[in-house]
Amino acid sequence: MSTFDDSDMKIFREKEGRAASDGAEVQALAEEMKQQRLNGNSERAKRLGIRLASLAPDSADADSLNLLRLLGNPLPAKEMEQVRILLIFTAEACLHLYTPSPLLATTAVNALYDRLIEEDPGFYDTISNGAAFSFYYVALRHSGKTAENIGDAFAMLCGKEEDRSLSQLGARVYQYVTRKVREMIGETRFVESRLSP
């Protein structure tokens, strides 16, 4: 009977240090969640996400971004939908970049999408099933001028890749919405949280 030589086989085991590290990370996250809930930041983040979900490019109400002035002439429906997608993308990106903690950013983003699902499931499906966010994330990470990259992606998503005026409009929308969302994050007045070591 022939035997199989397994002397060169290695058995991989999870390192004990990693398991302990994972446990410490989970405990730290649970502590942060408790702290953010107790100091009111979790509720503030939820309200911010809900507020951002209600923004629309063609709205002129008091809490809107008032993009109508920036857009100028009325845009065709397909382009207006792309403006709204860019608005939501920019809001999500700003939440991740400018909210005081990743946990609060995630809380706000989840509230934003929960509200979109509730109030406009068709638009939510367009965002979640489409490739627009992927193109915008690539543009955001691409070297060069971020607003111009986003504007080029916007024109391409509108089906008019060579249209410089549309690309410039996308860049202006991105810059304007970024400023406004950063202001809204500042207005939220998150409480500085210090977790005990």
Side-chain angles (χ1 to χ4, degrees), residues 6 15 17 105 113 119 123 175 185 192:
D6 63 356
K15 295 182 181 177
Y113 286 116
E119 292 187 350
F123 179 65
Q175 290 170 322
I185 292 170
E192 188 174 334

Side-chain angles (χ1 to χ4, degrees), residues 60-77:
D61 69 17
D63 201 27
S64 78
L65 293 177
N66 204 5
L67 277 173
L68 293 175
R69 232 182 15 237
L70 185 69
L71 296 175
N73 296 329
L75 296 174

Side-chain angles (χ1 to χ4, degrees), residues 46-92:
K46 287 178 189 173
R47 284 194 311 262
L48 175 61
I50 290 167
R51 185 177 174 200
L52 291 170
S54 69
L55 300 176
D58 54 353
S59 174
D61 69 17
D63 201 27
S64 78
L65 293 177
N66 204 5
L67 277 173
L68 293 175
R69 232 182 15 237
L70 185 69
L71 296 175
N73 296 329
L75 296 174
K78 179 181 179 182
E79 292 170 14
M80 281 301 283
E81 181 176 68
Q82 287 303 321
V83 169
R84 187 170 182 209
I85 291 169
L86 176 55
L87 189 158
I88 296 298
F89 168 81
T90 304
E92 180 180 330

